[in-house]
Amino acid sequence: MSAQVAIVGGGIGGLALALGLHERGLTCDVYEAAGEIREIGVGITLLPHAMRELAALGVQPQLEAQGIENLESVFFNRWGQFIFREPRGRHAGYALPEIGIHRGKLHRVLYEAARQRLNEQHIHLGHRCIGVTQDVDSVSLRFADRPADVRADVVIACDGVNSAVRRLFYPDEKLAFTGINTWRGVSVHPPILTGKSYLRIGTIETGKMVIYPIVDDVDGEGRQLINWVAELRQPPHERNDWNEPGRLEDVLPIFRDWRFDWLDVPQLIEGAQQIFEYPMVDKDPVARWTFGRVTLLGDAAHPMYPRGSNGSAQALIDARVLAQELAEGGDPRDALARYEQQRLEPTARVVQTNRTVPPDFIIMKADELSGGQPFPGTIDDLVSQDELRRISDHYKQVAGFSLDALKPS
């Protein structure tokens, strides 16, 4: 008889795990705190290693239909000067595309797939977990405003960076905040560069923008829905709030002079329908995720800086590895331990790399060589494209999406 699995959290990682378990013939129930599933949030980039997992779950066609396939990634300094360009996804030789998509649409695709395959009685909305207890034979989950506990053989916490389940095992843990604040928005705007370009401009020390399209021809006149993220390091006491809407007057002055012949950044920001503000936070890697019949997955296990589009990808890989181990049968506690053994160290490396040598280290390197000033001539006078490519390739290798790592076996 297979293990009865309870999944706490119906986000990207939790739903991917549910679909993976169902694919392998295992029963599970998903308990999500939200009372309804709404398409909220902004954009997300699905890198080839994320798309590999999503394709295996059978949702690639829906995602390609609702997103935009990236052609290239392009780096500029804050003066709008070109630094580095590389092809992405299929255009770089991968078997799978790199997709920019609205996070809410990705979540909806996974949610609808889970509803259809698991049946609705296995997805429980409005269930906010407030307690977990276990004995030799099973685990009990307690939910706010629910009279009865739920019992299962194992519990998988997929409840995000502020995981209530993780807090039970690490009650004194704090989020790590080093002063980097972020503002996010989406704006209707004409296509930028190729209309399939993922842009990074500037650095966190003086202002950084990440910009990419997520919906094509959003208005019937050829304009796109453009996702943008602004980042700036500020004094640690000036930490953005999780729950407050961002204010135009806080973010616009940082980029007021960023008017290039190929993009007017202030105009893009001013066109946002709504601005969200967040602190850029993560947590130090921990020594263990698994406690008997309970383990952690995704942001609950390894919250990382949202750089390099890797948080969701690592959660999707977690989900596949854990589903495979549980499908092996035997004592489910052993399966949780094997999953942790495979995923703990690789994700810790990504957390640390996102802190120290993120993809935009390419721009940081160029700024270091130019003294933070506009450079005369071209970037090739300061650093070779081969050296910059090595920086990019190193990040891909650590994050698990180098071209060699994703070649079909």
Side-chain angles (χ1 to χ4, degrees):
M1 183 174 166
S2 62
Q4 175 60 42
V5 181
I7 300 170
V8 176
I12 293 169
L15 292 173
L17 176 60
L19 290 168
L21 291 170
H22 178 266
E23 183 75 17
R24 293 164 175 83
L26 301 184
T27 302
C28 67
D29 284 85
V30 179
Y31 299 92
E32 165 57 38
E36 62 176 322
I37 300 299
R38 295 182 295 129
E39 291 188 10
I40 59 174
V42 285
I44 186 172
T45 301
L46 301 173
L47 297 173
H49 58 330
M51 286 302 300
R52 174 189 61 191
E53 308 301 331
L54 292 163
L57 297 176
V59 296
Q60 181 180 344
Q62 299 94 303
L63 297 174
E64 288 202 60
Q66 297 192 50
I68 292 181
E69 181 175 353
N70 289 337
L71 169 67
E72 61 177 3
S73 177
V74 196
F75 298 75
F76 299 87
N77 65 13
R78 64 189 171 109
W79 314 103
Q81 293 178 293
F82 169 79
I83 295 173
F84 181 68
R85 171 185 281 111
E86 64 178 359
R88 301 295 283 187
R90 289 184 179 123
H91 306 282
Y94 291 89
L96 292 160
E98 177 178 301
I99 301 290
I101 191 170
H102 194 289
R103 178 180 287 272
K105 293 188 181 299
L106 167 62
H107 193 201
R108 173 67 66 180
V109 165
L110 291 171
Y111 177 66
E112 292 301 333
R115 283 182 61 202
Q116 292 168 12
R117 298 179 202 176
L118 276 68
N119 296 323
E120 291 194 43
Q121 67 264 30
H122 290 291
I123 301 178
H124 312 271
L125 303 182
H127 281 67
R128 181 171 63 87
C129 180
I130 57 172
V132 178
T133 57
Q134 59 181 308
D135 55 30
V136 174
D137 299 315
S138 65
V139 190
S140 292
L141 285 169
R142 189 165 67 256
F143 298 97
D145 304 319
R146 300 283 172 174
D149 289 356
V150 170
R151 295 183 70 82
D153 294 313
V154 290
V155 167
I156 317 301
C158 306
D159 51 341
V161 64
N162 293 308
S163 169
V165 177
R166 177 171 172 142
R167 198 175 305 122
L168 298 173
F169 302 105
Y170 296 99
D172 300 321
E173 186 179 46
K174 305 293 184 185
L175 289 167
F177 176 65
T178 60
I180 305 171
N181 281 318
T182 71
W183 295 262
R184 292 172 171 259
V186 291
S187 304
V188 177
H189 190 277
I192 302 168
L193 299 184
T194 66
K196 296 183 176 184
S197 301
Y198 186 107
L199 313 177
R200 292 183 178 92
I201 314 169
T203 71
I204 58 170
E205 303 305 330
T206 53
K208 171 190 164 187
M209 291 289 291
V210 175
I211 302 167
Y212 56 92
I214 56 174
V215 180
D216 216 358
D217 194 18
V218 71
D219 59 357
E221 298 179 4
R223 293 190 295 176
Q224 296 176 317
L225 193 63
I226 304 290
N227 181 82
W228 57 264
V229 185
E231 302 174 10
L232 180 68
R233 190 188 301 279
Q234 296 178 307
H237 66 275
E238 296 181 14
R239 173 172 155 173
N240 277 1
D241 195 293
W242 286 96
N243 301 311
E244 294 295 322
R247 301 188 308 167
L248 184 64
E249 56 266 34
D250 289 337
V251 63
L252 190 60
I254 303 167
F255 305 97
R256 62 182 178 272
D257 299 325
W258 288 32
R259 300 182 190 275
F260 315 131
D261 56 6
W262 51 273
L263 177 63
D264 187 322
V265 174
Q267 183 185 63
L268 177 69
I269 294 171
E270 288 176 313
Q273 301 156 344
Q274 185 177 4
I275 296 174
F276 303 90
E277 68 170 40
Y278 306 93
M280 185 177 284
V281 296
D282 64 7
K283 292 180 180 177
D284 293 332
V286 290
R288 60 187 293 200
W289 302 338
T290 301
F291 302 84
R293 294 179 176 272
V294 181
T295 197
L296 312 175
L297 183 148
D299 281 347
H302 44 74
M304 59 187 62
Y305 282 175
R307 290 171 163 172
S309 309
N310 240 299
S312 59
Q314 298 303 320
L316 290 164
I317 298 170
D318 289 349
R320 186 245 307 158
V321 171
L322 181 51
Q324 286 177 338
E325 293 301 336
L326 286 167
E328 290 294 321
D331 190 329
R333 291 171 294 187
D334 294 338
L336 302 192
R338 293 193 302 270
Y339 150 73
E340 177 185 295
Q341 185 177 25
Q342 291 180 61
R343 295 295 296 150
L344 191 72
E345 186 178 334
T347 54
R349 285 199 301 270
V350 179
V351 171
Q352 299 290 3
T353 303
N354 272 7
R355 290 177 174 179
T356 56
V357 194
D360 48 303
F361 187 76
I362 286 173
I363 307 172
M364 297 159 66
K365 180 71 173 179
D367 267 11
E368 175 191 329
L369 295 171
S370 69
Q373 299 300 313
F375 49 79
T378 71
I379 187 64
D380 297 326
D381 299 325
L382 297 177
V383 60
S384 72
Q385 293 292 293
D386 284 343
E387 184 173 347
L388 297 177
R389 189 171 297 106
R390 281 193 290 272
I391 296 172
S392 177
D393 289 346
H394 171 72
Y395 184 83
K396 293 171 190 168
Q397 186 175 22
V398 170
F401 68 102
S402 68
L403 192 55
D404 285 343
L406 294 184
K407 282 181 179 176
S409 54

